[in-house]
Amino acid sequence: MNRREALKNTAIWLGTAISATTFGVLFESFTLPENEKNTVSFSADQEKILAELADIIIPSTKDAPGAKAAGLGSFIPMMIKDCYPAKMQEAFAEGLKDLEARSMKDFNKSFLLLGVKEREELVAKLRTDTITQQKADKAAKKNVPYFFVIVRDLTILGYYASEIGCTQAREYIAIPGRYDGATTLKPGQKSWAT
């Protein structure tokens, strides 16, 4: 099974946890034309920003490491460059620049220099602004890619497709028993990753 097929299977498993845009990108049965591949590039600092941003979305817990430990800082740019059309790649790159500009405006510091509380505050504002903009664009019947939505979706997808997500955040059973679609979980029991 290749990487794209594995990610499709994970996306199906996640169901509605990811947006229709990301779902559509993963299920397109085409290969990006050469002129749309890698239209953007990401610096080492931008990958660090994406790792920290993903770690706010899925932080470490007492039971499992977070998104940064799962390698999302390099996974997200790889997915953007390999799977997303040029227009969405450029919108994502612009959103990343806007995040850094907003960090400088609101806190007078680069995102990487912010404390955890400041990062969480900035991401909460970004989320709220994205929801507001989505509602306005939906009313105007615009179909626009949103930086925060793509980051959130790729964080969820990448984390639960990673070894950490499959084996530590979920209960991994290599050879499951019989299928029971109505099984009950005990309090504190992890759901399964098969």
Side-chain angles (χ1 to χ4, degrees):
M1 179 182 297
N2 66 31
R3 179 180 65 210
R4 194 173 184 107
E5 286 299 315
L7 291 172
K8 282 182 188 179
N9 291 341
T10 302
I12 289 170
W13 174 74
L14 289 171
T16 58
I18 61 175
S19 71
T21 302
T22 299
F23 211 73
V25 167
L26 293 174
F27 281 90
E28 289 289 334
S29 60
F30 67 87
T31 303
L32 287 176
E34 284 303 315
N35 64 340
E36 290 203 18
K37 286 185 180 179
N38 304 319
T39 61
V40 298
S41 60
F42 297 92
S43 69
D45 279 348
Q46 287 175 319
E47 287 190 14
K48 287 177 188 173
I49 290 170
L50 289 170
E52 295 298 335
L53 183 56
D55 214 50
I56 290 169
I57 296 169
I58 301 180
S60 294
T61 65
K62 63 180 178 66
D63 296 325
K68 186 163 85 170
L72 275 285
S74 58
F75 173 81
I76 293 170
M78 179 268 306
M79 287 297 292
I80 294 295
K81 292 189 290 187
D82 290 354
C83 299
Y84 283 75
K87 181 180 176 183
M88 291 180 79
Q89 289 181 35
E90 290 159 12
F92 184 86
E94 192 60 37
L96 188 56
K97 288 178 191 169
D98 289 346
L99 174 69
E100 185 65 12
R102 191 171 192 168
S103 176
M104 292 301 290
K105 179 182 173 244
D106 292 356
F107 299 101
N108 208 23
K109 292 188 247 183
S110 169
F111 186 82
L112 291 174
L113 298 176
L114 296 178
V116 174
K117 293 292 183 202
E118 292 170 319
R119 287 179 185 170
E120 289 172 351
E121 182 182 329
L122 185 60
V123 171
K125 286 180 187 176
L126 180 62
R127 178 184 174 274
T128 301
D129 291 350
T130 300
I131 291 169
T132 303
Q133 188 62 45
Q134 280 181 312
K135 287 178 183 176
D137 289 344
K138 187 176 182 180
K141 298 186 181 191
K142 290 182 185 176
N143 186 11
V144 180
Y146 303 97
F147 170 74
F148 179 77
V149 173
I150 295 170
V151 168
R152 180 204 61 202
D153 291 352
L154 289 178
T155 297
I156 294 169
L157 181 65
Y159 184 75
Y160 288 106
S162 73
E163 183 177 350
I164 288 172
C166 284
T167 61
Q168 294 179 44
R170 298 223 175 262
E171 186 169 331
Y172 180 74
I173 301 173
I175 304 173
R178 69 177 183 81
Y179 174 75
D180 182 1
T183 190
T184 55
L185 298 177
K186 297 175 182 108
Q189 181 181 359
K190 295 178 184 176
S191 59
W192 293 277
T194 55

